[in-house]
Amino acid sequence: DAQLEELCECLPQKVAREGMAARLADFYAAYKPERLDEHGGVKGVDAVLKKWKGREPELFYELTRKYAAEAVELRARGPVDGEAEAQAERSEDEAARRRAEEAATSRRADEERLLARQA
């Protein structure tokens, strides 16, 4: 528990929450895209995160269990006409979004370290 508390203190809650929301959006983008809003975020993400607060690993376990059959079916079916190109484009877009998110997270962490040193 002490290690977890130490970890939690070094990772701002806002950054952790944003990371969780992004991972949830990635999951739904792959298995249940209708759960995403027009910006690619999870519809009702605040309610989901509130409901599963402190049990985030359990959330992903349950989602994986719930959509496992669908995931296997999607892989077994393979791409249909144009789907491979669309998937490649989505993958590129997702990679670019992740890079931008990582850069923003890194900048925030640098800013917070700088502020901590100045305090």
Side-chain angles (χ1 to χ4, degrees):
D1 285 341
Q3 287 178 336
L4 182 59
E5 287 178 23
E6 183 178 321
L7 176 64
C8 291
E9 288 176 13
C10 73
L11 183 65
Q13 290 294 332
K14 182 179 179 190
V15 173
R17 185 175 181 83
E18 289 170 355
M20 175 63 79
R23 286 190 300 278
L24 195 57
D26 290 345
F27 184 91
Y28 279 125
Y31 300 110
K32 195 76 168 172
E34 57 269 19
R35 290 274 298 150
L36 301 177
D37 62 21
E38 64 275 3
H39 304 292
V42 177
K43 296 175 186 172
V45 70
D46 290 333
V48 172
L49 296 178
K50 183 178 180 181
K51 176 181 177 182
W52 290 91
K53 185 176 182 170
R55 301 180 310 143
E56 291 84 358
E58 186 180 345
L59 164 64
F60 284 98
Y61 170 78
E62 291 299 330
L63 285 171
T64 302
R65 202 174 67 137
K66 180 176 181 178
Y67 294 106
E70 191 173 320
V72 171
E73 181 183 323
L74 287 173
R75 288 190 192 114
R77 241 186 331 169
V80 294
D81 292 340
E83 189 175 320
E85 292 84 7
Q87 179 61 37
E89 186 176 321
R90 284 191 300 270
S91 294
E92 290 172 16
D93 290 346
E94 178 60 26
R97 186 185 68 75
R98 284 185 182 166
R99 284 192 301 273
E101 183 178 289
E102 288 169 0
T105 300
S106 179
R107 279 194 308 274
R108 283 191 298 269
D110 290 344
E111 291 170 0
E112 289 175 7
R113 281 193 289 275
L114 181 61
L115 289 172
R117 285 187 205 139
Q118 291 174 349

